[in-house]
């Protein structure tokens, strides 16, 4: 039976030109995306950390700017909004033809969807205009241009050449800055590999495969690959950092770190490069590529090939999250939605109000069988949030999207006009939505359309986790909670509302912040001690008797809200009492204002080679 949506002939002479103009818009986007990603190497070599942060923020905006440009061009040159359905179908077919030998066909299809839905009203466009499923395969794409790098390089060492091979792997990236002591670092890598692989025999296929671009983020560059031996593959990543050339009083690598999970703070006087540690296995790489971290800068011509390689290292990580981690968050968002639709087809449970304490700003619901939560901004907010606006909340979420999330803030996917099957919502949830968010709801036959929604990974709320936790789990969670706040502080973020309910616990036991409506830059806040009362009347007053500015924060007042549980209080005061002292916050604010950029890395401080050498030196001297 013929497909009634398929045009019988390509009869509209405008269709090819429209398809070509659409692809020109995408190609411009990817050229700029790739250029700023490739320039991360020069910024890293020059220790231009502020430039790296700026490029990270600006790159996130590239996609929407190019979509707007393409939509404006199609309107101007072709009056695209007035085109007939048959013409749009022909445009799509021509576009598919243009993608046959393209290096980013899946991303170009997503761009087509973005431009088309921007031009056409939701009630007008149909699935046969859009790429609901991929039309062009991404299998086996490789850049065959003479000067092109392969997606990955394969090295075939013997036991005699293993050390030389690791040296060649690192040197092939041709970093312009000298290493502090590459021979020393390679010896540490070889020792770590020997521990990881144990007593092994080199099989006939023994090889080391390494992706051809380094992965740049914050102040690190990550070399990513895998060791293959017989039937076994061992994923690995080597973080490359700038070693300290410390100013007086500044800690050297290996000195006492500033907190668990944090690699300490590097000053503005970097020395030679160092390989900081070796990460092995899927769990280490999942933390490196966590949804709570900023996107990498990666110079890649064929993103699907990078995703395929990374999936071999992390088979449990969705492709959508890998595309996002590579900076292609719109492609990640598109794939996530396809996965969601597929999940809906193969499940029958109902959406419900999410467990936990209900928020004042967001209405949160979930589908028990699906590991994400859906967050909708309410139309009105009770005291003390009554001055909050929808635009303010959206600006906070955008801030988080563009900022280095340092492993402590969940990434969010933002969608407009999402049609949910009404039959899959329980009545209590629908009643809540109609009460709190009526402006965002639209009934469309059997569908309930939500005009604006955020989606993020589901975690166990920290307050719920602590209720049933053992003493050991309480200690770990409270230490992690304090470390999360301190990592945010180092990234110039004041979380605002620090209640336990606004933090979640991941499956790796990491504590992550996810309530953004009160988030502020640390440098915009004024941290103060509560003034001493001037007389007995002020001392006995049950009211606040001192003036408070709009950005004033009094850390010592956190205690009554956070430390009511004696078991929690004991751990908190042992590890994080400094969070109740205004001097802690003031000190970090002053450092950041002075241009100081902290290192926050996705592995524990004791994993650092310098930390291990420091421990060995202490043991040898005792």
């Amino acid at each position: 039976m013929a497909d009634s949506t398929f045009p019988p002939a390509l009869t509209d002479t405008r269709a090819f030109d429209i398809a070509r103009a659409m692809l020109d818009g995408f190609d411009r986007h990817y050229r700029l995306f790739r250029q700023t990603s490739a320039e991360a190497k020069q910024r890293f070599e020059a220790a231009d950390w502020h430039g790296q942060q700026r490029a990270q923020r600006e790159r996130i905006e590239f996609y929407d700017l190019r979509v707007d440009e393409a939509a404006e061009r199609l309107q101007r040159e072709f009056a695209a909004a007035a085109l007939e359905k048959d013409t749009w179908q022909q445009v799509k077919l021509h576009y598919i033809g243009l993608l046959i030998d393209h290096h980013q066909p899946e991303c170009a299809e997503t761009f087509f969807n973005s431009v088309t839905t921007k031009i056409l009203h939701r009630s007008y466009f149909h699935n046969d205009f859009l790429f609901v499923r991929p039309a062009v395969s991404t299998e086996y794409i490789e850049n065959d241009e003479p000067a092109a790098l392969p997606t990955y390089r394969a090295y075939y060492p013997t036991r005699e050449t293993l050390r030389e091979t690791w040296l060649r792997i690192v040197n092939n990236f041709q970093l312009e800055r000298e290493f502090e002591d590459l021979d020393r670092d390679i010896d540490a890598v070889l020792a770590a590999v020997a521990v990881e692989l144990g007593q092994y025999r080199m099989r006939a296929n023994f090889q080391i495969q390494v992706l051809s671009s380094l992965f740049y983020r914050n102040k690190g560059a990550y070399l990513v690959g895998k060791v293959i031996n017989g039937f076994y593959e061992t994923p690995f990543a080597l973080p490359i950092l700038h070693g300290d050339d410390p100013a007086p009083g500044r800690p050297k690598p290996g000195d006492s770190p500033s907190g668990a999970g944090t690699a300490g703070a590097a000053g503005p006087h970097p020395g030679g490069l160092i390989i900081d540690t070796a990460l092995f296995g899927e769990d280490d790489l999942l933390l490196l590529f966590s949804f709570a971290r900023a996107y990498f800068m990666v110079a890649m011509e064929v993103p699907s090939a990078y995703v395929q390689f990374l999936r071999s290292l992390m088979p449990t990580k969705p492709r959508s999250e890998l595309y996002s981690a590579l900076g292609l968050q719109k492609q990640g968002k598109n794939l996530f939605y396809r996965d969601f639709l597929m999940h809906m087809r193969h499940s029958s449970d109902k959406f419900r109000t999410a467990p936990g304490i209900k928020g004042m700003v967001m209405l949160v619901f979930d589908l028990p069988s699906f590991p994400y939560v859906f967050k909708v901004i309410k139309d009105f907010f009770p005291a003390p949030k009554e001055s909050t606006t929808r635009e303010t909340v959206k600006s906070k979420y955008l801030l988080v999207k563009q900022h280095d999330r340092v492993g402590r803030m969940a990434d969010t996917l933002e969608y407009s006009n999402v049609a949910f099957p009404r039959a899959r919502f329980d009545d209590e949830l629908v009643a809540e939505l109609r009460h709190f968010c009526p402006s965002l709801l639209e009934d469309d036959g059997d569908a309930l359309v939500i005009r604006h929604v955020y989606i993020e990974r589901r975690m166990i709320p920290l307050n719920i986790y602590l209720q049933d936790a053992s003493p050991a789990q309480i200690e770990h969670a409270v230490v992690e909670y304090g470390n999360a706040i301190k990592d945010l502080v180092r990234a110039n973020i004041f979380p605002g509302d620090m209640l336990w309910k606004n933090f979640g616990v991941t499956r790796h036991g990491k504590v992550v912040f996810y309530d953004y409506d009160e988030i502020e830059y640390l440098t915009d806040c004024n941290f103060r001690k509560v003034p001493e009362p001037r007389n007995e009347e002020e001392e006995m007053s049950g009211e606040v008797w001192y003036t408070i500015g709009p950005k004033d924060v009094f850390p010592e007042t956190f205690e009554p809200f956070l430390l009511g549980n004696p078991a929690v209080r004991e751990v908190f005061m042992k590890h994080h009492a400094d969070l109740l002292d205004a001097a802690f916050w003031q000190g970090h604010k002053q450092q950041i204002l002075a241009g100081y950029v902290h290192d926050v890395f996705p592995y524990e401080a004791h994993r650092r080679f310098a930390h291990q050498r420091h421990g060995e030196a202490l043991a040898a001297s005792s």
Side-chain angles (χ1 to χ4, degrees):
M1 180 177 172
D3 183 352
S4 60
T5 66
F6 195 90
L10 300 177
T11 55
D12 194 322
T13 55
R14 299 167 296 177
F16 178 81
D17 292 336
I18 294 169
R20 180 72 263 175
M22 186 91 80
L23 189 57
D24 285 346
F26 170 76
D27 287 344
R28 170 171 160 74
H29 160 66
Y30 199 79
R31 185 169 62 253
L32 293 171
F33 172 89
R34 193 174 180 214
Q35 178 183 331
T36 198
S37 300
E39 289 168 351
K41 179 176 184 287
Q42 287 76 46
R43 292 188 292 269
F44 173 76
E45 290 165 342
D48 181 9
W49 311 134
H50 293 292
Q52 203 79 301
Q53 291 171 344
R54 185 168 56 252
Q56 172 72 28
R57 288 193 302 271
E58 291 173 352
R59 191 184 65 168
I60 287 172
E61 299 172 0
F62 282 3
Y63 186 89
D64 288 338
L65 291 172
R66 302 293 87 77
V67 167
D68 289 345
E69 287 175 3
E72 192 275 331
R73 179 185 174 189
L74 294 186
Q75 282 286 74
R76 185 179 68 250
E77 296 183 14
F78 304 101
L83 294 174
E84 296 295 323
K85 173 182 175 180
D86 184 67
T87 299
W88 275 111
Q89 291 169 340
Q90 293 184 46
V91 169
K92 180 180 176 182
L93 287 174
H94 279 299
Y95 197 78
I96 292 170
L98 291 170
L99 295 182
I100 295 302
D101 293 317
H102 203 276
H103 289 159
Q104 307 94 30
E106 75 283 25
C107 299
E109 289 177 356
T110 294
F111 189 84
F112 183 97
N113 288 356
S114 298
V115 175
T116 305
T117 53
K118 187 169 189 67
I119 292 172
L120 302 177
H121 188 269
R122 181 174 61 82
S123 62
Y124 180 78
F125 68 76
H126 302 278
N127 284 346
D128 44 304
F129 295 175
L130 305 178
F131 290 94
V132 178
R133 296 194 303 270
V136 179
S137 172
T138 58
E139 296 292 311
Y140 307 112
I141 302 177
E142 193 58 84
N143 188 353
D144 296 324
E145 296 164 10
L149 289 173
T151 297
Y152 63 89
R153 297 186 179 100
Y155 301 82
Y156 303 94
T158 63
R159 285 204 180 272
E160 293 71 31
T161 64
L162 191 57
R163 190 175 190 284
E164 172 196 323
T165 300
W166 280 105
L167 276 167
R168 193 163 84 252
I169 287 170
V170 175
N171 285 325
N172 275 350
F173 288 100
Q174 299 180 346
L175 289 164
E176 293 297 321
R177 199 177 191 98
E178 292 292 322
F179 276 80
E180 188 179 283
D181 188 342
L182 185 55
D183 287 328
R184 174 202 67 193
D185 293 348
I186 291 298
D187 287 341
V189 170
L190 285 168
V193 170
V195 170
E196 178 66 24
L197 298 185
Q199 295 297 320
Y200 69 96
R201 175 182 161 196
M202 281 188 172
R203 303 296 176 179
N205 68 332
F206 188 90
Q207 59 188 287
I208 304 170
Q209 294 182 357
V210 179
L211 285 165
S212 292
S213 172
L214 292 172
F215 287 61
Y216 298 94
R217 183 175 65 201
N218 195 357
K219 295 170 66 179
Y222 297 84
L223 186 158
V224 178
K226 58 185 173 182
V227 179
I228 299 174
N229 191 30
F231 298 112
Y232 299 98
E233 297 188 0
T234 303
F236 70 87
L238 304 181
I240 301 173
L241 315 180
H242 286 251
D244 277 348
D245 181 12
R250 183 164 289 128
K252 296 179 181 178
D255 286 355
S256 180
S258 56
T262 300
H269 306 287
L273 300 179
I274 60 171
I275 299 175
D276 198 45
T277 190
L279 307 174
F280 294 105
E282 183 176 9
D283 279 350
D284 273 0
L285 267 75
L286 285 171
L287 289 171
L288 177 62
F289 285 82
S290 167
F291 65 89
R293 293 194 175 271
Y295 308 137
F296 285 106
M297 295 269 187
V298 186
M300 53 187 176
E301 174 69 9
V302 185
S304 60
Y306 269 72
V307 169
Q308 184 174 337
F309 188 97
L310 291 170
R311 282 274 285 176
S312 74
L313 311 182
M314 298 170 280
T316 62
K317 193 163 186 70
R319 286 188 308 136
S320 60
E321 289 189 11
L322 289 173
Y323 272 102
S324 292
L326 293 170
L328 295 164
Q329 73 274 10
K330 296 293 184 177
Q331 183 63 22
K333 179 177 162 180
N334 187 26
L335 286 178
F336 174 88
Y337 193 66
R338 288 173 177 170
D339 290 343
F340 170 63
L341 292 177
M342 187 61 65
H343 182 87
M344 291 293 288
R345 288 193 193 99
H346 295 275
S347 62
S348 58
D349 54 334
K350 290 194 172 187
F351 291 96
R352 60 172 186 178
T353 304
I357 299 172
K358 294 180 180 180
M360 290 186 279
V361 171
M362 291 289 203
L363 191 155
V364 184
F365 63 93
D366 70 354
L367 188 67
S369 63
F370 192 59
Y372 295 84
V373 295
F374 301 77
K375 304 172 76 169
V376 184
I377 303 172
K378 294 179 179 180
D379 283 357
F380 55 90
F381 315 111
K385 308 269 192 176
E386 64 270 23
S387 60
T388 303
T389 67
R390 183 181 304 280
E391 291 310 312
T392 299
V393 177
K394 291 171 76 172
S395 72
K396 304 291 188 182
Y397 274 76
L398 180 61
L399 184 159
V400 172
K401 173 69 74 174
Q402 295 177 340
H403 202 77
D404 186 355
R405 294 188 296 279
V406 296
R408 299 300 188 176
M409 293 188 288
D411 192 15
T412 54
L413 300 169
E414 184 178 7
Y415 290 90
S416 300
N417 296 317
V418 181
F420 295 90
R422 169 62 182 84
R424 296 290 294 274
F425 279 66
D426 73 29
D427 292 339
E428 183 181 342
L429 173 57
V430 173
E432 281 199 66
L433 286 165
R434 294 201 192 287
H435 176 71
F436 289 109
C437 320
S439 73
L440 295 179
L441 292 189
E442 179 185 337
D443 287 301
D444 187 3
D446 294 333
L448 187 66
V449 177
I450 300 181
R451 293 195 178 96
H452 184 256
V453 61
Y454 293 105
I455 304 176
E456 66 187 38
R457 176 76 73 155
R458 184 167 59 207
M459 292 170 272
I460 304 171
L462 184 53
N463 61 311
I464 293 177
Y465 179 89
L466 290 171
Q467 288 172 8
D468 302 318
S470 66
Q473 289 172 326
I474 288 175
E475 178 162 18
H476 174 79
V478 173
V479 169
E480 262 291 288
Y481 166 80
N483 287 338
I485 294 171
K486 288 176 177 177
D487 284 345
L488 292 173
V489 167
R490 294 180 186 104
N492 193 24
I493 292 292
F494 174 59
D497 192 342
M498 290 162 48
L499 294 176
W500 306 97
K501 70 182 182 70
N502 297 325
F503 292 77
V505 182
T506 73
R507 76 178 183 88
H508 288 102
K510 297 287 284 184
V511 169
V512 174
F513 183 60
Y514 53 58
D515 190 328
Y516 305 143
D517 60 275
E518 290 191 21
I519 208 166
E520 298 281 356
Y521 287 118
L522 189 80
T523 47
D524 288 343
C525 298
N526 182 31
F527 296 95
R528 297 173 54 192
K529 280 186 65 68
V530 174
E532 293 291 334
R534 292 166 296 186
N535 50 52
E536 186 177 351
E537 183 180 328
E538 288 181 348
E539 187 173 1
M540 301 303 293
S541 173
E543 303 294 327
V544 174
W545 45 265
Y546 46 89
T547 59
I548 300 177
K551 294 294 180 75
D552 283 355
V553 179
F554 298 87
E556 64 202 272
T557 65
F558 300 162
E559 186 174 352
F561 299 101
L562 300 179
L563 305 180
N565 180 330
V568 167
R569 177 185 173 81
E570 181 182 355
V571 177
F572 184 94
M573 296 306 291
K574 178 181 176 183
H575 295 278
H576 298 303
D578 50 353
L579 289 175
L580 304 178
D581 183 356
F584 167 85
W585 302 84
Q586 292 163 352
H588 279 280
K589 176 180 174 177
Q590 289 164 6
Q591 285 184 324
I592 293 166
L593 288 172
Y596 193 82
V597 178
H598 289 269
D599 286 329
V600 184
F601 294 107
Y603 43 86
E604 300 291 332
H606 68 81
R607 301 280 297 270
R608 304 185 73 193
F609 291 152
H611 192 276
Q612 294 166 9
R613 287 193 295 271
H614 185 65
E616 290 165 3
L618 286 177
S621 65
S622 60

